[in-house]
Amino acid sequence: MRRTFRRLPHWTATLTWKAAAFITVMCCGLAALLGVLVHVSVTDQTVGEARGRALDRLAEVTTEYEAGNRLPPGAGVDLPGLPTPLRELAADGKRGTMVGDQDAPPTMWAAGPTDGGRALAVQYDYAQGAHTIDALDRAIVWSSALAIGVTLLVGTFAVTRVTRRLHATAQVARRISAGALDARVNDPRAQDPTRPQDEVAAVAGALDTMASSLQSKLLSEQRFTADVAHELRTPLTGLHAAAELLPPGRPTELVRDRVAALRTLTEDLLEISRLDARSERLELDSEALAPLAERVVRASGTATDVRVVRDVRVETDRRRLERVLGNLVANAHKHGVGPVVLTVDGPVVTVRDHGAGYPEYLVEHGPQRFRTEGGSKGHGLGLTIALGQSEVLGARLSFANAPEGGAVATLTLPHPDRSEGPSGAI
């Protein structure tokens, strides 16, 4: 029979819980160790004193018994209730003491040999000693519980302060990875060199330094890209005008084609630099999604099948949305295999081809600039721009490969208003 184990809740994986559990276990272990040591020490002392008194009294009773005097109460030969081990010890000619485990009031027995192989025994009241040990045990338990509780509260408070700072650092790290390069931890300890620097402050300071350096480098690259693109526009405009003056022919067509490709690349670089700088501003308007998709396909001049499952009106920036859909359609025709299908299903638009699909790196990490595979033409900027514009729109653009083959780009737009028009295919 296979045994199944239930997993612990997720909150048990937190550092606070682990620290609290560790502190509790250590405190319990320490309290148990100290309690045992104190209990053994006090018990040995108390029992030792009671045994000494019992043996002293046994010596006095032995003297009285040998003198033929009347024995005091609690003393006698073969007294009832005398523990059997102690009776046997006296029969062997030895003296000894023992606490009776069946006596209602705790009693310390002392016995020694006498004539006829009998045992001369005395009883000594051990109630006070037993009460002292019981009171000590209760005090150890309550004081240990109190010490564990106080230590746990103080330790949890101290650990929570550390984990709160770690959580703040982790949140800033996630914001930086999401693109907010101006996010900083600003830990007070890291900002004040005169204060003691702990490990959390060191991590927070290192993260802030890394973010500042990364932001500086990215801003420098963005400025470089924008400056290069701007500087190229003027000579490209003159080159384009000069190409138009060339006599007709194959060489002229090649020159014009290369100039046009260079101008497109320059405009793409400018658009990417604006997206990186987050300087884009939305111009929202209510748009019917299906007619907009049809216009994009007609403007592309490609044989793209448009299918409308459910049409909706969305609040969006029409120009940016047309740019995203246009780039997806163009990429499907350039790098995929027909038929290319654009489907509108509510606020979700998918563009699919039937080629070899997206590269593995693109599906896992998204499009990367100036990276293409398979010897295909292009600079990898079309999908990068589509992804950037979709983020400006507040939409989500994802890339996947269909199980039966082909690349699938899915654009999910936010907050559709209402459905309109019949469903069908166009």
Side-chain angles (χ1 to χ4, degrees):
M1 181 177 179
R2 186 176 181 181
R3 183 179 297 177
T4 58
F5 298 93
R6 294 183 60 186
R7 290 187 175 181
L8 294 174
H10 292 292
W11 57 267
T12 59
T14 61
L15 183 60
T16 301
W17 187 89
K18 291 180 179 178
F22 176 77
I23 292 173
T24 302
V25 171
M26 293 300 296
C27 287
C28 290
L30 182 60
L33 177 61
L34 293 178
V36 169
L37 293 177
V38 173
H39 172 82
V40 170
S41 176
V42 174
T43 300
D44 288 345
Q45 181 179 357
T46 304
V47 172
E49 292 178 355
R51 285 176 175 172
R53 294 191 183 97
L55 290 174
D56 291 342
R57 186 175 183 185
L58 177 62
E60 296 174 358
V61 168
T62 301
T63 302
E64 294 291 335
Y65 178 76
E66 291 176 349
N69 297 330
R70 184 178 180 180
L71 299 180
V77 177
D78 292 337
L79 290 176
L82 180 65
T84 300
L86 196 58
R87 188 187 303 273
E88 295 175 351
L89 184 67
D92 292 338
K94 300 177 182 178
R95 302 174 66 186
T97 60
M98 184 176 180
V99 178
D101 52 0
Q102 296 181 351
D103 300 330
T107 302
M108 176 69 73
W109 291 87
T114 187
D115 54 349
R118 294 181 298 173
L120 177 62
V122 297
Q123 289 178 292
Y124 179 77
D125 185 11
Y126 186 63
Q128 183 64 32
H131 176 73
T132 300
I133 294 176
D134 290 340
L136 175 66
D137 290 342
R138 288 194 296 270
I140 290 175
V141 171
W142 284 108
S143 60
S144 298
L146 179 62
I148 291 172
V150 173
T151 305
L152 183 60
L153 289 176
V154 174
T156 303
F157 173 74
V159 172
T160 302
R161 293 188 62 186
V162 175
T163 55
R164 189 182 299 116
R165 294 166 62 197
L166 287 174
H167 281 306
T169 304
Q171 290 177 356
V172 171
R174 284 191 287 268
R175 289 174 57 194
I176 293 173
S177 64
L181 298 181
D182 56 344
R184 298 292 184 272
V185 180
N186 293 327
D187 189 277
R189 289 180 180 268
Q191 293 181 332
D192 187 1
T194 60
R195 299 181 62 180
Q197 301 293 305
D198 57 9
E199 288 78 2
V200 180
V203 172
L207 180 63
D208 287 349
T209 302
M210 181 200 70
S212 299
S213 177
L214 181 61
Q215 184 181 31
S216 176
K217 291 180 179 179
L218 288 179
L219 290 176
S220 177
E221 292 179 1
Q222 292 171 9
R223 284 194 297 268
F224 175 76
T225 302
D227 292 343
V228 169
H230 277 292
E231 293 297 327
L232 286 175
R233 293 183 81 179
T234 300
L236 281 176
T237 301
L239 188 59
H240 177 73
E244 294 296 328
L245 299 177
L246 294 176
R250 181 61 181 168
T252 300
E253 293 178 1
L254 293 175
V255 171
R256 290 176 179 174
D257 179 68
R258 295 299 87 196
V259 170
L262 192 55
R263 291 187 67 183
T264 301
L265 175 60
T266 302
E267 294 300 327
D268 288 347
L269 289 175
L270 284 172
E271 186 169 358
I272 287 178
S273 66
R274 290 193 296 268
L275 291 172
D276 289 340
R278 301 182 182 273
S279 60
E280 301 284 7
R281 296 293 180 268
L282 288 175
E283 297 179 3
L284 296 178
D285 197 4
S286 179
E287 296 286 343
L289 200 51
L292 187 146
E294 296 169 22
R295 291 197 303 270
V296 170
V297 170
R298 286 196 299 269
S300 68
T302 59
T304 302
D305 185 15
V306 180
R307 299 176 183 176
V308 180
V309 178
R310 180 169 60 93
D311 191 16
V312 293
R313 297 191 70 87
V314 293
E315 290 290 332
T316 188
D317 189 319
R318 177 181 57 82
R319 180 183 65 84
R320 300 184 189 280
L321 181 55
E322 289 178 348
R323 176 69 160 155
V324 173
L325 296 181
N327 281 16
L328 295 179
V329 171
N331 183 82
H333 282 280
K334 181 181 293 184
H335 302 288
V337 177
V340 176
V341 181
L342 186 151
T343 304
V344 178
D345 186 1
V348 180
V349 182
T350 59
V351 178
R352 179 189 173 183
D353 62 52
H354 292 76
Y358 291 120
E360 184 178 351
Y361 80 87
L362 193 148
V363 175
E364 294 181 357
H365 307 291
Q368 300 179 16
R369 304 169 190 178
F370 299 105
R371 178 174 180 180
T372 57
E373 292 187 357
S376 58
K377 296 180 179 180
H379 303 91
L381 299 181
L383 293 183
T384 302
I385 292 174
L387 182 62
Q389 292 290 8
S390 64
E391 291 176 353
V392 175
L393 293 172
R396 181 167 56 87
L397 179 59
S398 59
F399 304 94
N401 292 322
E404 59 273 18
V408 181
T410 303
L411 177 68
T412 304
L413 295 166
H415 308 305
D417 289 337
R418 61 183 181 277
S419 301
E420 64 173 29
S423 301
I426 301 176

